[in-house]
Amino acid sequence: MTTTAAAPLVTAEKTDPQGRARRRRSLSPGRRLPAAGLVGPALVVVLWAVASAAGQLDTAAIPAPWTVLRTAGNLWTDGTLTTDVGTSLERAGYGFALGLTAGVVLALAAGLSRVGEALIDGTVQLNRAIPTLGLIPLFILWLGIGETFKIAIIAIVVYIPIYLNLHAALSGIDHRYVELAEVQGLSRIAFIRQIVIPGALPGFFVGLRLGVTGSWLGLVVLEQINATSGLGYMMFQAQNYGRSDIILVGLLIYGVFGLASDSAVRLIERRVLSWRRTLSS
């Protein structure tokens, strides 16, 4: 018959040299506030409304929030806003899908192969150094002035941050995990599934968030070039007629779409990476 010694209890409290219990001080940011992402924008709207009600803002330059809401309602009722929003969503969706696919494929090819890195990484870094909007005249010559060049420019805006962050995450995977996989005799597919994907997902989501917001930023400029509909076109026409309220409607819709898409990506990120223990969890 064998006996085992009882393991000593481990307490969360430490003791000082005099034997008195000393509570551990927490250095984490604490529990997440409910709807934390909406607190800042709501405060900006409140300050805007208070300044407008107090007559501190020039109504010709910055109309009151209720004026902007009334204008948005009128545009929605006559169908103008629905057409422009639908067109912008379609352009952003196509450009984002192309950019996401290109960024992931190029990052995997460059991150998992030395030949791929030699062929791809330098070219992407060169592309990154060139202002994307500076490519517009060249793309118009190549692709015409229709929808194709707009979608191509949005795809470039999206793929660069996705590639950079995913490639950096792949390059940052600890080589000891690679050696462990080799010792364990993992196949190439098992190595990618068990080592590469978990190690690269945090960087991928950072790039995805930048890519999502980038697709909306590119629309503001592109929809002012030979466009007949879209939020950028609506704002450009409003500038010609001095309608700052319509310009603010367009900017607010861009902001809402950008915030909503970024929040959706962050929600997916928290669920997919729920195994991580970070300051934001």
Side-chain angles (χ1 to χ4, degrees):
M1 180 177 179
T2 60
T3 59
T4 57
L9 294 176
V10 178
T11 61
E13 293 183 338
K14 295 183 177 180
T15 56
D16 57 16
Q18 287 73 35
R20 294 174 298 186
R22 180 165 56 89
R23 298 187 62 181
R24 185 177 60 186
R25 186 178 62 178
S26 175
L27 299 177
S28 68
R31 299 182 61 183
R32 185 183 298 277
L33 298 175
L38 300 177
V39 174
L43 180 60
V44 172
V45 172
V46 169
L47 293 176
W48 178 16
V50 170
S52 298
Q56 299 298 315
L57 298 178
D58 180 4
T59 55
I62 308 178
W66 42 89
T67 303
V68 175
L69 289 177
R70 186 166 56 247
T71 301
N74 294 334
L75 292 173
W76 185 271
T77 302
D78 64 21
T80 304
L81 193 57
T82 54
T83 302
D84 291 329
V85 168
T87 303
S88 294
L89 284 173
E90 185 177 3
R91 287 178 182 140
Y94 282 131
F96 177 75
L98 288 175
L100 174 63
T101 304
V104 171
V105 170
L106 292 176
L108 290 176
L112 300 179
S113 167
R114 293 302 181 195
V115 176
E117 184 178 26
L119 293 175
I120 296 171
D121 191 58
T123 307
V124 175
Q125 298 298 337
L126 178 64
N127 188 182
R128 183 173 69 93
I130 298 174
T132 304
L133 297 182
L135 297 173
I136 291 177
L138 189 60
F139 273 55
I140 290 177
L141 290 177
W142 288 349
L143 305 173
I145 202 166
E147 292 296 308
T148 307
F149 99 90
K150 296 182 179 67
I151 294 174
I153 292 293
I154 294 173
I156 292 176
V157 173
V158 170
Y159 102 87
I160 290 178
I162 292 177
Y163 170 86
L164 292 176
N165 286 279
L166 181 54
H167 182 260
L170 289 170
S171 303
I173 293 177
D174 197 321
H175 199 270
R176 287 174 295 182
Y177 293 116
V178 181
E179 295 173 347
L180 178 61
E182 292 171 349
V183 170
Q184 294 295 322
L186 293 184
S187 64
R188 188 73 173 176
I189 295 177
F191 169 69
I192 292 176
R193 188 177 67 250
Q194 298 179 22
I195 304 295
V196 173
I197 292 178
L201 277 177
F204 168 72
F205 278 109
V206 173
L208 190 61
R209 290 178 59 192
L210 294 174
V212 167
T213 52
S215 65
W216 294 110
L217 296 177
L219 278 178
V220 178
V221 177
L222 295 171
E223 289 185 334
Q224 297 180 16
I225 301 174
N226 193 41
T228 56
S229 62
L231 292 172
Y233 169 77
M234 181 187 75
M235 294 166 61
F236 182 68
Q237 294 298 313
Q239 176 195 351
N240 294 333
Y241 292 102
R243 294 291 304 274
S244 57
D245 54 339
I246 296 180
I247 295 176
L248 285 174
V249 169
L251 291 175
L252 288 175
I253 292 175
Y254 275 131
V256 169
F257 282 165
L259 182 62
S261 53
D262 182 73
S263 300
V265 174
R266 294 180 68 177
L267 179 62
I268 297 172
E269 179 185 14
R270 280 201 294 270
R271 291 185 179 277
V272 173
L273 303 179
S274 58
W275 46 271
R276 291 196 311 169
R277 299 292 296 172
T278 63
L279 284 178
S280 61
S281 62

